[in-house]
């Protein structure tokens, strides 16, 4: 009887640990852009999954600042002075937020770092608000994704989730 109980307990523990490792709701992710000459941009974020939910415009309502991922706020570290969507951003560490509406997403670059992400109460620390270009990916995107696409002398920051793609051009200053 004790061997059976130990075996059942061991199997339950094993399946619980295995399941927890396989199904992280919002795993850590990162993206980077090589601007050349050893200058880079790096973004670290947590990548939530849709899992049948309507997130932006649903669970995360339009018109309310979103942490641009999950868990801790999304980081944006640049080793070069850059221009993001026409706004100057000095080399340094920042936090990215997004203000989504039904028509557009506005990227918020904030000087405050190390925060959890929500609720958003950092307006006085904002460096810039930048309108992003909106489009639709070829198919719905299950995992929230931030990526950089190399373009000319810079990169395009691309954010995708569900049926939304938001982009903004970044170049070295």
């Amino acid at each position: 009887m004790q061997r059976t109980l130990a075996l059942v307990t061991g199997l339950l523990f094993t399946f619980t640990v295995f399941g927890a490792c396989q199904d992280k709701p919002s795993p850590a992710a990162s993206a980077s852009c090589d601007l050349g000459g050893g200058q880079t941009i790096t973004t670290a974020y947590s990548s939530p999954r849709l899992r049948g939910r309507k997130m932006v415009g649903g669970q995360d309502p339009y018109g309310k600042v979103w942490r641009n991922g999950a868990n801790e706020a999304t980081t944006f570290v640049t080793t070069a002075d850059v221009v993001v969507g026409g706004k100057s951003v000095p080399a340094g560490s920042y936090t990215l937020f997004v203000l989504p509406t039904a028509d557009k997403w506005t990227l918020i670059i904030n000087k405050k770092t190390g925060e959890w992400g929500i609720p958003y109460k950092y307006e006085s620390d904002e460096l810039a608000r930048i309108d992003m270009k909106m489009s639709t990916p070829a198919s719905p995107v299950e995992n929230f994704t931030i990526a950089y696409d190399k373009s000319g002398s810079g990169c395009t920051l691309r954010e995708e989730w569900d049926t939304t793609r938001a982009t903004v051009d970044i170049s070295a200053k």
Side-chain angles (χ1 to χ4, degrees):
M1 180 69 169
Q2 285 182 331
R3 277 187 6 184
T4 303
L5 183 58
L7 178 62
V8 169
T9 302
L11 286 173
L12 285 173
F13 177 76
T14 300
F15 288 131
T16 301
V17 170
F18 180 76
C21 291
Q22 295 298 312
D23 197 25
K24 292 181 180 178
S26 300
S30 65
S32 62
C33 170
D34 181 358
L35 295 170
Q39 298 177 322
T40 60
I41 299 169
T42 305
T43 299
Y45 65 104
S46 292
S47 174
R49 292 8 187 178
L50 285 175
R51 300 177 196 248
R53 304 174 291 178
K54 174 68 176 163
M55 295 303 294
V56 177
Q59 186 169 324
D60 293 316
Y62 289 132
K64 182 177 177 189
V65 174
W66 180 53
R67 65 180 141 194
N68 216 21
N71 305 326
E72 295 87 357
T74 296
T75 63
F76 178 85
V77 179
T78 176
T79 61
D81 294 344
V82 294
V83 176
V84 180
K87 307 275 179 139
S88 293
V89 177
S93 296
Y94 303 93
T95 303
L96 297 181
F97 294 92
V98 170
L99 177 59
T101 67
D103 301 333
K104 69 176 180 176
W105 283 16
T106 301
L107 182 69
I108 301 171
I109 301 175
N110 198 290
K111 296 178 279 185
K112 175 118 175 89
T113 60
E115 62 280 346
W116 179 249
I118 56 173
Y120 186 73
K121 53 187 177 199
Y122 313 108
E123 289 88 354
S124 64
D125 295 307
E126 289 181 8
L127 178 67
R129 286 191 177 214
I130 303 152
D131 289 343
M132 301 181 82
K133 297 174 192 161
M134 305 303 294
S135 62
T136 303
S139 60
V141 178
E142 173 68 19
N143 304 343
F144 175 69
T145 303
I146 295 176
Y148 288 96
D149 301 314
K150 189 70 177 151
S151 60
S153 64
C155 296
T156 298
L157 168 66
R158 175 174 40 89
E159 298 188 5
E160 296 179 321
W161 206 16
D162 199 3
T163 58
T164 300
R165 175 180 292 147
T167 61
V168 66
D169 293 331
I170 302 174
S171 60
K173 199 166 181 184

mmCIF file of all heavy atoms in Angstrom, residues 111-151:
data_model
loop_
_atom_site.group_PDB
_atom_site.id
_atom_site.type_symbol
_atom_site.label_atom_id
_atom_site.label_comp_id
_atom_site.label_asym_id
_atom_site.label_seq_id
_atom_site.Cartn_x
_atom_site.Cartn_y
_atom_site.Cartn_z
ATOM 1 N N LYS A 111 10.902 57.098 -19.021
ATOM 2 C CA LYS A 111 12.209 57.120 -18.370
ATOM 3 C C LYS A 111 12.244 56.296 -17.089
ATOM 4 O O LYS A 111 13.306 55.911 -16.636
ATOM 5 C CB LYS A 111 12.624 58.564 -18.074
ATOM 6 C CG LYS A 111 12.807 59.392 -19.340
ATOM 7 C CD LYS A 111 13.174 60.836 -19.027
ATOM 8 C CE LYS A 111 11.915 61.588 -18.679
ATOM 9 N NZ LYS A 111 12.106 63.020 -18.472
ATOM 10 N N LYS A 112 11.089 56.002 -16.509
ATOM 11 C CA LYS A 112 11.021 55.210 -15.276
ATOM 12 C C LYS A 112 11.263 53.746 -15.634
ATOM 13 O O LYS A 112 10.677 53.231 -16.569
ATOM 14 C CB LYS A 112 9.646 55.374 -14.623
ATOM 15 C CG LYS A 112 9.435 54.518 -13.415
ATOM 16 C CD LYS A 112 9.214 55.375 -12.203
ATOM 17 C CE LYS A 112 8.869 54.538 -10.984
ATOM 18 N NZ LYS A 112 10.035 54.124 -10.250
ATOM 19 N N THR A 113 12.129 53.081 -14.885
ATOM 20 C CA THR A 113 12.412 51.666 -15.139
ATOM 21 C C THR A 113 12.260 50.866 -13.848
ATOM 22 O O THR A 113 12.271 51.424 -12.755
ATOM 23 C CB THR A 113 13.848 51.472 -15.678
ATOM 24 O OG1 THR A 113 14.778 51.966 -14.720
ATOM 25 C CG2 THR A 113 14.046 52.182 -17.013
ATOM 26 N N GLY A 114 12.099 49.566 -14.008
ATOM 27 C CA GLY A 114 12.039 48.667 -12.864
ATOM 28 C C GLY A 114 10.653 48.473 -12.278
ATOM 29 O O GLY A 114 10.504 47.799 -11.266
ATOM 30 N N GLU A 115 9.621 49.019 -12.897
ATOM 31 C CA GLU A 115 8.270 48.894 -12.351
ATOM 32 C C GLU A 115 7.618 47.592 -12.828
ATOM 33 O O GLU A 115 8.046 46.975 -13.784
ATOM 34 C CB GLU A 115 7.402 50.102 -12.711
ATOM 35 C CG GLU A 115 7.182 50.318 -14.169
ATOM 36 C CD GLU A 115 8.342 50.994 -14.868
ATOM 37 O OE1 GLU A 115 9.239 51.555 -14.235
ATOM 38 O OE2 GLU A 115 8.345 50.917 -16.086
ATOM 39 N N TRP A 116 6.550 47.213 -12.138
ATOM 40 C CA TRP A 116 5.828 45.993 -12.498
ATOM 41 C C TRP A 116 5.123 46.166 -13.833
ATOM 42 O O TRP A 116 5.080 45.265 -14.633
ATOM 43 C CB TRP A 116 4.838 45.635 -11.390
ATOM 44 C CG TRP A 116 4.037 44.402 -11.717
ATOM 45 C CD1 TRP A 116 2.711 44.344 -12.006
ATOM 46 C CD2 TRP A 116 4.509 43.057 -11.821
ATOM 47 N NE1 TRP A 116 2.329 43.045 -12.266
ATOM 48 C CE2 TRP A 116 3.418 42.236 -12.170
ATOM 49 C CE3 TRP A 116 5.764 42.464 -11.678
ATOM 50 C CZ2 TRP A 116 3.531 40.862 -12.351
ATOM 51 C CZ3 TRP A 116 5.864 41.093 -11.861
ATOM 52 C CH2 TRP A 116 4.759 40.311 -12.193
ATOM 53 N N GLY A 117 4.551 47.274 -14.094
ATOM 54 C CA GLY A 117 3.915 47.500 -15.394
ATOM 55 C C GLY A 117 2.552 48.137 -15.291
ATOM 56 O O GLY A 117 2.237 49.023 -16.060
ATOM 57 N N ILE A 118 1.715 47.672 -14.388
ATOM 58 C CA ILE A 118 0.395 48.269 -14.204
ATOM 59 C C ILE A 118 0.102 48.374 -12.723
ATOM 60 O O ILE A 118 0.659 47.609 -11.933
ATOM 61 C CB ILE A 118 -0.719 47.464 -14.925
ATOM 62 C CG1 ILE A 118 -0.706 46.007 -14.461
ATOM 63 C CG2 ILE A 118 -0.600 47.565 -16.410
ATOM 64 C CD1 ILE A 118 -1.853 45.187 -14.975
ATOM 65 N N PRO A 119 -0.710 49.289 -12.275
ATOM 66 C CA PRO A 119 -1.367 50.315 -13.089
ATOM 67 C C PRO A 119 -0.361 51.366 -13.551
ATOM 68 O O PRO A 119 0.663 51.583 -12.914
ATOM 69 C CB PRO A 119 -2.386 50.921 -12.120
ATOM 70 C CG PRO A 119 -1.786 50.729 -10.764
ATOM 71 C CD PRO A 119 -1.029 49.421 -10.840
ATOM 72 N N TYR A 120 -0.671 52.022 -14.658
ATOM 73 C CA TYR A 120 0.223 53.030 -15.215
ATOM 74 C C TYR A 120 0.038 54.336 -14.469
ATOM 75 O O TYR A 120 -1.051 54.903 -14.456
ATOM 76 C CB TYR A 120 -0.067 53.236 -16.709
ATOM 77 C CG TYR A 120 0.926 54.168 -17.375
ATOM 78 C CD1 TYR A 120 2.217 53.741 -17.621
ATOM 79 C CD2 TYR A 120 0.571 55.451 -17.745
ATOM 80 C CE1 TYR A 120 3.136 54.581 -18.223
ATOM 81 C CE2 TYR A 120 1.482 56.295 -18.358
ATOM 82 C CZ TYR A 120 2.766 55.855 -18.592
ATOM 83 O OH TYR A 120 3.678 56.684 -19.185
ATOM 84 N N LYS A 121 1.116 54.781 -13.851
ATOM 85 C CA LYS A 121 1.070 56.034 -13.091
ATOM 86 C C LYS A 121 2.371 56.823 -13.279
ATOM 87 O O LYS A 121 2.865 57.429 -12.355
ATOM 88 C CB LYS A 121 0.816 55.732 -11.615
ATOM 89 C CG LYS A 121 1.781 54.725 -11.030
ATOM 90 C CD LYS A 121 1.414 54.315 -9.625
ATOM 91 C CE LYS A 121 2.390 53.254 -9.170
ATOM 92 N NZ LYS A 121 1.969 52.480 -8.079
ATOM 93 N N TYR A 122 2.885 56.771 -14.493
ATOM 94 C CA TYR A 122 4.213 57.336 -14.746
ATOM 95 C C TYR A 122 4.197 58.446 -15.792
ATOM 96 O O TYR A 122 5.197 58.682 -16.469
ATOM 97 C CB TYR A 122 5.165 56.217 -15.187
ATOM 98 C CG TYR A 122 5.073 54.993 -14.313
ATOM 99 C CD1 TYR A 122 4.480 53.827 -14.764
ATOM 100 C CD2 TYR A 122 5.553 55.015 -13.006
ATOM 101 C CE1 TYR A 122 4.383 52.704 -13.952
ATOM 102 C CE2 TYR A 122 5.450 53.910 -12.188
ATOM 103 C CZ TYR A 122 4.866 52.755 -12.668
ATOM 104 O OH TYR A 122 4.763 51.649 -11.857
ATOM 105 N N GLU A 123 3.079 59.139 -15.948
ATOM 106 C CA GLU A 123 2.974 60.179 -16.974
ATOM 107 C C GLU A 123 4.074 61.225 -16.850
ATOM 108 O O GLU A 123 4.600 61.700 -17.851
ATOM 109 C CB GLU A 123 1.607 60.877 -16.917
ATOM 110 C CG GLU A 123 0.459 60.019 -17.392
ATOM 111 C CD GLU A 123 -0.154 59.160 -16.277
ATOM 112 O OE1 GLU A 123 0.382 59.135 -15.142
ATOM 113 O OE2 GLU A 123 -1.171 58.505 -16.546
ATOM 114 N N SER A 124 4.453 61.574 -15.622
ATOM 115 C CA SER A 124 5.462 62.623 -15.435
ATOM 116 C C SER A 124 6.854 62.168 -15.876
ATOM 117 O O SER A 124 7.745 63.003 -16.038
ATOM 118 C CB SER A 124 5.493 63.070 -13.968
ATOM 119 O OG SER A 124 5.899 61.993 -13.135
ATOM 120 N N ASP A 125 7.050 60.875 -16.096
ATOM 121 C CA ASP A 125 8.343 60.349 -16.524
ATOM 122 C C ASP A 125 8.394 60.029 -18.016
ATOM 123 O O ASP A 125 9.360 59.445 -18.498
ATOM 124 C CB ASP A 125 8.682 59.080 -15.734
ATOM 125 C CG ASP A 125 8.881 59.356 -14.253
ATOM 126 O OD1 ASP A 125 9.688 60.250 -13.925
ATOM 127 O OD2 ASP A 125 8.226 58.690 -13.433
ATOM 128 N N GLU A 126 7.367 60.407 -18.768
ATOM 129 C CA GLU A 126 7.336 60.077 -20.191
ATOM 130 C C GLU A 126 8.361 60.887 -20.973
ATOM 131 O O GLU A 126 8.488 62.092 -20.785
ATOM 132 C CB GLU A 126 5.939 60.326 -20.772
ATOM 133 C CG GLU A 126 4.927 59.315 -20.299
ATOM 134 C CD GLU A 126 3.548 59.528 -20.883
ATOM 135 O OE1 GLU A 126 3.382 60.386 -21.785
ATOM 136 O OE2 GLU A 126 2.624 58.833 -20.428
ATOM 137 N N LEU A 127 9.063 60.200 -21.853
ATOM 138 C CA LEU A 127 9.990 60.860 -22.771
ATOM 139 C C LEU A 127 9.270 61.198 -24.077
ATOM 140 O O LEU A 127 9.460 62.277 -24.627
ATOM 141 C CB LEU A 127 11.190 59.951 -23.055
ATOM 142 C CG LEU A 127 12.219 60.492 -24.028
ATOM 143 C CD1 LEU A 127 12.925 61.712 -23.425
ATOM 144 C CD2 LEU A 127 13.236 59.423 -24.391
ATOM 145 N N ALA A 128 8.445 60.256 -24.562
ATOM 146 C CA ALA A 128 7.764 60.497 -25.842
ATOM 147 C C ALA A 128 6.537 59.608 -25.983
ATOM 148 O O ALA A 128 6.486 58.510 -25.441
ATOM 149 C CB ALA A 128 8.722 60.225 -26.998
ATOM 150 N N ARG A 129 5.564 60.116 -26.749
ATOM 151 C CA ARG A 129 4.416 59.338 -27.228
ATOM 152 C C ARG A 129 4.484 59.388 -28.743
ATOM 153 O O ARG A 129 4.572 60.467 -29.330
ATOM 154 C CB ARG A 129 3.088 59.901 -26.733
ATOM 155 C CG ARG A 129 2.853 59.615 -25.259
ATOM 156 C CD ARG A 129 1.434 59.948 -24.844
ATOM 157 N NE ARG A 129 1.239 59.593 -23.437
ATOM 158 C CZ ARG A 129 0.105 59.138 -22.943
ATOM 159 N NH1 ARG A 129 -0.963 59.004 -23.714
ATOM 160 N NH2 ARG A 129 0.007 58.828 -21.665
ATOM 161 N N ILE A 130 4.431 58.198 -29.358
ATOM 162 C CA ILE A 130 4.651 58.096 -30.804
ATOM 163 C C ILE A 130 3.550 57.240 -31.417
ATOM 164 O O ILE A 130 3.350 56.085 -30.999
ATOM 165 C CB ILE A 130 6.032 57.451 -31.075
ATOM 166 C CG1 ILE A 130 7.136 58.270 -30.386
ATOM 167 C CG2 ILE A 130 6.271 57.289 -32.566
ATOM 168 C CD1 ILE A 130 8.344 57.472 -30.002
ATOM 169 N N ASP A 131 2.855 57.787 -32.414
ATOM 170 C CA ASP A 131 1.845 57.002 -33.124
ATOM 171 C C ASP A 131 2.536 55.917 -33.943
ATOM 172 O O ASP A 131 3.524 56.181 -34.639
ATOM 173 C CB ASP A 131 1.012 57.888 -34.050
ATOM 174 C CG ASP A 131 0.071 58.799 -33.278
ATOM 175 O OD1 ASP A 131 -0.189 58.535 -32.081
ATOM 176 O OD2 ASP A 131 -0.398 59.779 -33.868
ATOM 177 N N MET A 132 2.008 54.702 -33.856
ATOM 178 C CA MET A 132 2.550 53.573 -34.596
ATOM 179 C C MET A 132 1.731 53.368 -35.871
ATOM 180 O O MET A 132 0.551 53.720 -35.923
ATOM 181 C CB MET A 132 2.528 52.315 -33.727
ATOM 182 C CG MET A 132 3.342 52.485 -32.438
ATOM 183 S SD MET A 132 3.349 51.005 -31.399
ATOM 184 C CE MET A 132 4.653 50.059 -32.206
ATOM 185 N N LYS A 133 2.370 52.820 -36.909
ATOM 186 C CA LYS A 133 1.675 52.479 -38.153
ATOM 187 C C LYS A 133 0.948 51.157 -37.927
ATOM 188 O O LYS A 133 1.524 50.201 -37.409
ATOM 189 C CB LYS A 133 2.670 52.342 -39.299
ATOM 190 C CG LYS A 133 3.414 53.623 -39.609
ATOM 191 C CD LYS A 133 4.487 53.381 -40.648
ATOM 192 C CE LYS A 133 5.392 54.589 -40.731
ATOM 193 N NZ LYS A 133 6.666 54.281 -41.357
ATOM 194 N N MET A 134 -0.312 51.106 -38.346
ATOM 195 C CA MET A 134 -1.136 49.932 -38.103
ATOM 196 C C MET A 134 -1.348 49.135 -39.388
ATOM 197 O O MET A 134 -1.523 49.712 -40.461
ATOM 198 C CB MET A 134 -2.490 50.344 -37.533
ATOM 199 C CG MET A 134 -2.409 51.195 -36.269
ATOM 200 S SD MET A 134 -1.494 50.429 -34.925
ATOM 201 C CE MET A 134 -2.557 49.055 -34.548
ATOM 202 N N SER A 135 -1.349 47.799 -39.256
ATOM 203 C CA SER A 135 -1.689 46.909 -40.357
ATOM 204 C C SER A 135 -2.170 45.590 -39.764
ATOM 205 O O SER A 135 -2.261 45.450 -38.543
ATOM 206 C CB SER A 135 -0.492 46.703 -41.295
ATOM 207 O OG SER A 135 0.579 46.104 -40.609
ATOM 208 N N THR A 136 -2.456 44.639 -40.627
ATOM 209 C CA THR A 136 -2.960 43.340 -40.188
ATOM 210 C C THR A 136 -1.984 42.261 -40.642
ATOM 211 O O THR A 136 -1.624 42.217 -41.829
ATOM 212 C CB THR A 136 -4.349 43.075 -40.813
ATOM 213 O OG1 THR A 136 -5.218 44.151 -40.442
ATOM 214 C CG2 THR A 136 -4.931 41.772 -40.329
ATOM 215 N N PRO A 137 -1.547 41.380 -39.730
ATOM 216 C CA PRO A 137 -0.671 40.280 -40.159
ATOM 217 C C PRO A 137 -1.424 39.313 -41.074
ATOM 218 O O PRO A 137 -2.662 39.315 -41.119
ATOM 219 C CB PRO A 137 -0.260 39.606 -38.841
ATOM 220 C CG PRO A 137 -1.246 40.054 -37.826
ATOM 221 C CD PRO A 137 -1.828 41.355 -38.308
ATOM 222 N N ALA A 138 -0.691 38.482 -41.803
ATOM 223 C CA ALA A 138 -1.301 37.543 -42.756
ATOM 224 C C ALA A 138 -2.270 36.582 -42.073
ATOM 225 O O ALA A 138 -3.264 36.180 -42.659
ATOM 226 C CB ALA A 138 -0.212 36.758 -43.486
ATOM 227 N N SER A 139 -1.979 36.218 -40.831
ATOM 228 C CA SER A 139 -2.882 35.363 -40.059
ATOM 229 C C SER A 139 -2.805 35.794 -38.598
ATOM 230 O O SER A 139 -1.823 36.422 -38.180
ATOM 231 C CB SER A 139 -2.504 33.889 -40.222
ATOM 232 O OG SER A 139 -1.190 33.663 -39.760
ATOM 233 N N PRO A 140 -3.831 35.477 -37.797
ATOM 234 C CA PRO A 140 -3.812 35.885 -36.388
ATOM 235 C C PRO A 140 -2.575 35.354 -35.662
ATOM 236 O O PRO A 140 -2.099 34.251 -35.942
ATOM 237 C CB PRO A 140 -5.090 35.263 -35.825
ATOM 238 C CG PRO A 140 -5.996 35.130 -37.003
ATOM 239 C CD PRO A 140 -5.079 34.806 -38.157
ATOM 240 N N VAL A 141 -2.059 36.160 -34.729
ATOM 241 C CA VAL A 141 -0.847 35.831 -33.982
ATOM 242 C C VAL A 141 -1.249 35.465 -32.557
ATOM 243 O O VAL A 141 -1.784 36.303 -31.827
ATOM 244 C CB VAL A 141 0.135 37.028 -34.001
ATOM 245 C CG1 VAL A 141 1.377 36.726 -33.189
ATOM 246 C CG2 VAL A 141 0.502 37.402 -35.436
ATOM 247 N N GLU A 142 -1.001 34.223 -32.158
ATOM 248 C CA GLU A 142 -1.369 33.711 -30.835
ATOM 249 C C GLU A 142 -0.504 34.311 -29.723
ATOM 250 O O GLU A 142 -0.993 34.677 -28.664
ATOM 251 C CB GLU A 142 -1.255 32.183 -30.812
ATOM 252 C CG GLU A 142 -1.458 31.536 -29.463
ATOM 253 C CD GLU A 142 -2.879 31.628 -28.915
ATOM 254 O OE1 GLU A 142 -3.820 31.868 -29.706
ATOM 255 O OE2 GLU A 142 -3.045 31.480 -27.692
ATOM 256 N N ASN A 143 0.798 34.382 -29.950
ATOM 257 C CA ASN A 143 1.752 34.844 -28.934
ATOM 258 C C ASN A 143 2.105 36.306 -29.183
ATOM 259 O O ASN A 143 2.586 36.642 -30.267
ATOM 260 C CB ASN A 143 3.039 34.035 -28.983
ATOM 261 C CG ASN A 143 2.816 32.546 -28.842
ATOM 262 O OD1 ASN A 143 1.761 32.101 -28.397
ATOM 263 N ND2 ASN A 143 3.801 31.771 -29.232
ATOM 264 N N PHE A 144 1.890 37.171 -28.195
ATOM 265 C CA PHE A 144 2.309 38.566 -28.351
ATOM 266 C C PHE A 144 3.792 38.580 -28.686
ATOM 267 O O PHE A 144 4.605 37.933 -28.022
ATOM 268 C CB PHE A 144 2.051 39.360 -27.065
ATOM 269 C CG PHE A 144 2.585 40.759 -27.142
ATOM 270 C CD1 PHE A 144 2.010 41.692 -27.987
ATOM 271 C CD2 PHE A 144 3.686 41.135 -26.391
ATOM 272 C CE1 PHE A 144 2.518 42.984 -28.069
ATOM 273 C CE2 PHE A 144 4.189 42.415 -26.470
ATOM 274 C CZ PHE A 144 3.609 43.345 -27.303
ATOM 275 N N THR A 145 4.130 39.313 -29.745
ATOM 276 C CA THR A 145 5.502 39.305 -30.256
ATOM 277 C C THR A 145 6.014 40.715 -30.475
ATOM 278 O O THR A 145 5.326 41.551 -31.066
ATOM 279 C CB THR A 145 5.558 38.551 -31.608
ATOM 280 O OG1 THR A 145 5.042 37.239 -31.420
ATOM 281 C CG2 THR A 145 6.978 38.477 -32.138
ATOM 282 N N ILE A 146 7.229 40.956 -30.008
ATOM 283 C CA ILE A 146 7.970 42.170 -30.333
ATOM 284 C C ILE A 146 9.189 41.726 -31.117
ATOM 285 O O ILE A 146 9.889 40.790 -30.717
ATOM 286 C CB ILE A 146 8.402 42.944 -29.071
ATOM 287 C CG1 ILE A 146 7.182 43.473 -28.310
ATOM 288 C CG2 ILE A 146 9.344 44.094 -29.442
ATOM 289 C CD1 ILE A 146 7.506 44.172 -27.002
ATOM 290 N N ALA A 147 9.442 42.373 -32.251
ATOM 291 C CA ALA A 147 10.585 42.027 -33.089
ATOM 292 C C ALA A 147 11.135 43.301 -33.719
ATOM 293 O O ALA A 147 10.463 44.339 -33.746
ATOM 294 C CB ALA A 147 10.165 41.037 -34.166
ATOM 295 N N TYR A 148 12.358 43.202 -34.223
ATOM 296 C CA TYR A 148 12.969 44.292 -34.980
ATOM 297 C C TYR A 148 13.295 43.772 -36.368
ATOM 298 O O TYR A 148 13.894 42.709 -36.528
ATOM 299 C CB TYR A 148 14.254 44.776 -34.301
ATOM 300 C CG TYR A 148 14.004 45.536 -33.032
ATOM 301 C CD1 TYR A 148 14.069 44.899 -31.795
ATOM 302 C CD2 TYR A 148 13.682 46.880 -33.052
ATOM 303 C CE1 TYR A 148 13.825 45.589 -30.618
ATOM 304 C CE2 TYR A 148 13.439 47.590 -31.884
ATOM 305 C CZ TYR A 148 13.520 46.931 -30.678
ATOM 306 O OH TYR A 148 13.280 47.626 -29.511
ATOM 307 N N ASP A 149 12.884 44.519 -37.375
ATOM 308 C CA ASP A 149 13.207 44.194 -38.759
ATOM 309 C C ASP A 149 14.223 45.212 -39.241
ATOM 310 O O ASP A 149 13.987 46.424 -39.150
ATOM 311 C CB ASP A 149 11.946 44.251 -39.627
ATOM 312 C CG ASP A 149 10.870 43.284 -39.134
ATOM 313 O OD1 ASP A 149 11.201 42.119 -38.845
ATOM 314 O OD2 ASP A 149 9.700 43.704 -39.031
ATOM 315 N N LYS A 150 15.359 44.736 -39.750
ATOM 316 C CA LYS A 150 16.414 45.622 -40.240
ATOM 317 C C LYS A 150 15.897 46.409 -41.439
ATOM 318 O O LYS A 150 15.249 45.858 -42.329
ATOM 319 C CB LYS A 150 17.634 44.788 -40.625
ATOM 320 C CG LYS A 150 18.854 45.612 -40.932
ATOM 321 C CD LYS A 150 19.412 46.264 -39.689
ATOM 322 C CE LYS A 150 20.676 47.028 -40.030
ATOM 323 N NZ LYS A 150 20.907 48.156 -39.179
ATOM 324 N N SER A 151 16.144 47.717 -41.424
ATOM 325 C CA SER A 151 15.697 48.570 -42.528
ATOM 326 C C SER A 151 16.683 49.709 -42.699
ATOM 327 O O SER A 151 16.815 50.555 -41.834
ATOM 328 C CB SER A 151 14.283 49.111 -42.260
ATOM 329 O OG SER A 151 14.274 49.879 -41.079
#
